[in-house]
Every structure is written in structure tokens, then in C-alpha cells.
């Protein structure tokens, strides 16, 4: 993009840095897909009349996820279950879940996977979903379900064309969520969960955030609802950013910083020692 070889780039906004590289701008944010996490049970449970959700899995059941956020939230809500790492693209993860070969004793046998609902839907795999997790209880990743289009800041034509593709409610929500993440100096390597809602008729934005220790034993949360957030790309975005900063600061005051320091193994404001 910076080399001029392409004019726009489409990203999963969840994976987009909160601060873009110099020379790049966020041209638009498309209407958000579903934001929840979903449970995909293994075949041995899928056909069971007794097991339909995480709450009905037997103690010691193994859940697969690659996200620290999901790991922390799952351990907090289901301490009797075991959470293991699972890697690969969506199809690879599902293959690992479905593989019932007993020949390899070292292979992890998963009872369920926790995946983004929107990813399953976009891959036409919604039929695999056994349970959709409530966002107000479990949260989701910052910007989960949203697609962003990035262009060069100097490309006035691209900026003008993309501006009209913005879905304003989505852009306001993800702006607030990303501001919270930026305030906490977080990223995909720390267990931060959010959920948000925007009422366009009332110009009202709600944002809730959680920070959970990796073992799930400690958690802080903060939630705020702000009126006066207009559905616009000027004042609306400014106000949404302030909402995110406000909730982020509230989480810090409640002890989020200590949890994040522990997760990173260093301080948020670390300064390298001066050489003598």
C-alpha cells in the first residue's frame, strides 16, 4: 500500500493496530457482522442429548482456543474445565476437533472449540455452532466482527470514495473499543474483553470493558453509557474516542494495570535503564 502497488487494503479490524503506520489512514469501517464467540462441540458431544453447552460439559473437558482473552474468561466462568491452545486456520482447527484417532497418545483431544461466530458464518459453517456466548457476560475482542479498509493518507480520491462506505454505528463502536485498548496499551497478547452498543435515535453509546488475569481468578470491569454521541464522522468519532478513554481510565483505577503488568511480565511504562 505504501509502495503504491495497491490503492486500498481490507483488514479484519480486530487485527489492525490501534495506531496506523505513518502515511496510512482508516478509509472506512463496514457494517459489523456478529460479535459473539461461539462454542463448537466435538462430534461425541454434538450428538449427545445431555451436552448442549459449556455449562453441561463434564469436569475436565478440554476447550481449545488461541486467544488469551478467551482463555482467561473461560477459566473464570468454568474453572472445572481445561483450556488448551489450538492453532491454525479455521478449517485446521475444526479438523483437530474432529480427529478422533486414538493412535497418537500425545495428541490433544478437544471437547469443544471457542471461535468467532462471524468467522464461522462467513465460511458457511454456522451449522457447527452449538452455543453462542452472551457478550454482556463474556465480552468479545476489540473490533471483533468488523472489516476495515485502509488507504494512503495522501490519496484524496480513495479517502473520498471510501468515506461513503462507512457504517456509522459500527465505526463509533469500534472507535470507542480501540480507544479503550489504546488507553490500556493493550493488544492481542493481553486478556482484555469489551462489548458495546450504539442507539442512533438517542445518540447514546454504551461501552463495557473487562481485564481478567490469565488464571481467571481476578477481574476488573467498568461500564459507561454516554449521551450526546452524534452519528457523524466528525464530532461523533471524537466523542466515541473519549468514551473509550474514559472506560479505559476507569479500568486502570480499579486495578487493571496490575493485571496487565503481570500478563506482560513487565510494567506498562517501562523505561530501559540508562547506561553508565
Amino acid at each position: 500500500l505504501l509502495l503504491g502497488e495497491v490503492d486500498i487494503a481490507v483488514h479484519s479490524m480486530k487485527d489492525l493496530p490501534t495506531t496506523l503506520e505513518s502515511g496510512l489512514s482508516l478509509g472506512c469501517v463496514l457494517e459489523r457482522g456478529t460479535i459473539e464467540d461461539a462454542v463448537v462441540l466435538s462430534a461425541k458431544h454434538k450428538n449427545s442429548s445431555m451436552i448442549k453447552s459449556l455449562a453441561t460439559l463434564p469436569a475436565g473437558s478440554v476447550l481449545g482456543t488461541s486467544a488469551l482473552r478467551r482463555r482467561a474468561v473461560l477459566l473464570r466462568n468454568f474453572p472445572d474445565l481445561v483450556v488448551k491452545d489450538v492453532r491454525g486456520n479455521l478449517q485446521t482447527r475444526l479438523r483437530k476437533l474432529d480427529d478422533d484417532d486414538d493412535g497418537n497418545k500425545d495428541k490433544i483431544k478437544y471437547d469443544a472449540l471457542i471461535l468467532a461466530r462471524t468467522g464461522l458464518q462467513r465460511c458457511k459453517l454456522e451449522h457447527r455452532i452449538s452455543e453462542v456466548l452472551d457478550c454482556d457476560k463474556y465480552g468479545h475482542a476489540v473490533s471483533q466482527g468488523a472489516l476495515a479498509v485502509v488507504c494512503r493518507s495522501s490519496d484524496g480520491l480513495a479517502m473520498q470514495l471510501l468515506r461513503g462506505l462507512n457504517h456509522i454505528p459500527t465505526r463509533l463502536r469500534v472507535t470507542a473499543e480501540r480507544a479503550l485498548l489504546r488507553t490500556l496499551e493493550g493488544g492481542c497478547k493481553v486478556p482484555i474483553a469489551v462489548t458495546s452498543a450504539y442507539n442512533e435515535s438517542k445518540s447514546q453509546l454504551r461501552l463495557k470493558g473487562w481485564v481478567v488475569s490469565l488464571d481467571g481468578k481476578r477481574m476488573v470491569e467498568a461500564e459507561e453509557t454516554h449521551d450526546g454521541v452524534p452519528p457523524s464522522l466528525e464530532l461523533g468519532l471524537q466523542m466515541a474516542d473519549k468514551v473509550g478513554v474514559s472506560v479505559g481510565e476507569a479500568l486502570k483505577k480499579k486495578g487493571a494495570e496490575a493485571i496487565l503488568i503481570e500478563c506482560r511480565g513487565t510494567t506498562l511504562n517501562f523505561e530501559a535503564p540508562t547506561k553508565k
Side-chain angles (χ1 to χ4, degrees):
L1 189 56
L2 287 172
L3 292 174
E5 297 176 359
V6 297
D7 296 309
I8 62 170
V10 182
H11 298 272
S12 170
M13 197 165 188
K14 179 174 67 68
D15 302 321
L16 202 64
T18 53
T19 302
L20 296 181
E21 190 170 343
S22 177
L24 299 180
S25 292
L26 184 58
C28 69
V29 179
L30 306 179
E31 184 172 4
R32 200 172 202 171
T34 52
I35 58 177
E36 303 93 347
D37 284 335
V39 179
V40 178
L41 291 172
S42 68
K44 65 180 179 181
H45 296 312
K46 185 78 172 179
N47 300 323
S48 169
S49 60
M50 301 294 292
I51 299 174
K52 300 295 183 183
S53 64
L54 292 181
T56 55
L57 280 171
S61 295
V62 178
L63 309 178
T65 179
S66 62
L68 292 181
R69 169 190 60 82
R70 291 187 182 123
R71 175 188 295 271
V73 171
L74 288 169
L75 288 175
R76 180 165 186 83
N77 288 278
F78 303 97
D80 58 334
L81 301 182
V82 178
V83 183
K84 295 284 188 178
D85 191 40
V86 60
R87 295 289 173 177
N89 60 29
L90 179 57
Q91 287 74 16
T92 299
R93 296 183 195 193
L94 289 173
R95 190 160 56 247
K96 290 179 179 180
L97 175 69
D98 296 336
D99 184 4
D100 58 358
D101 179 17
D102 293 326
N104 186 354
K105 295 181 180 180
D106 296 325
K107 181 177 67 66
I108 298 175
K109 297 180 180 179
Y110 300 99
D111 292 280
L113 299 181
I114 312 301
L115 302 165
R117 182 185 182 189
T118 189
L120 289 160
Q121 290 174 323
R122 288 169 178 164
C123 291
K124 310 299 182 185
L125 292 168
E126 191 170 15
H127 64 280
R128 295 296 306 264
I129 296 175
S130 301
E131 179 186 12
V132 175
L133 300 180
D134 182 0
C135 283
D136 279 325
K137 182 175 182 180
Y138 302 102
H140 54 77
V142 167
S143 303
Q144 186 160 313
L147 294 176
V149 184
V150 176
C151 63
R152 291 182 294 277
S153 305
S154 60
D155 192 340
L157 178 59
M159 291 286 287
Q160 181 181 357
L161 292 173
L162 292 174
R163 181 183 175 89
L165 298 179
N166 275 290
H167 184 255
I168 302 298
T170 297
R171 183 142 190 190
L172 293 177
R173 290 170 62 193
V174 298
T175 295
E177 293 171 17
R178 285 162 63 83
L180 180 153
L181 188 66
R182 188 182 68 244
T183 301
L184 294 174
E185 300 181 34
C188 61
K189 300 299 183 183
V190 291
I192 298 173
V194 299
T195 194
S196 64
Y198 181 67
N199 187 320
E200 192 168 355
S201 64
K202 295 182 179 180
S203 295
Q204 186 180 79
L205 179 62
R206 178 178 73 91
L207 177 64
K208 182 177 181 180
W210 299 258
V211 176
V212 189
S213 62
L214 293 178
D215 61 6
K217 293 181 179 179
R218 290 178 294 144
M219 181 185 76
V220 295
E221 61 181 285
E223 180 177 358
E224 296 182 9
T225 299
H226 288 246
D227 298 319
V229 182
S232 74
L233 291 177
E234 289 78 25
L235 181 59
L237 289 182
Q238 294 177 27
M239 296 300 295
D241 191 272
K242 290 180 179 179
V243 172
V245 172
S246 179
V247 177
E249 292 295 344
L251 287 167
K252 280 186 175 183
K253 291 179 181 178
K254 292 183 176 182
E257 197 167 25
I259 295 175
L260 293 175
I261 288 171
E262 182 181 289
C263 293
R264 295 189 184 100
T266 185
T267 60
L268 290 175
N269 299 311
F270 174 77
E271 292 183 2
T274 56
K275 294 182 179 180
K276 295 184 179 179

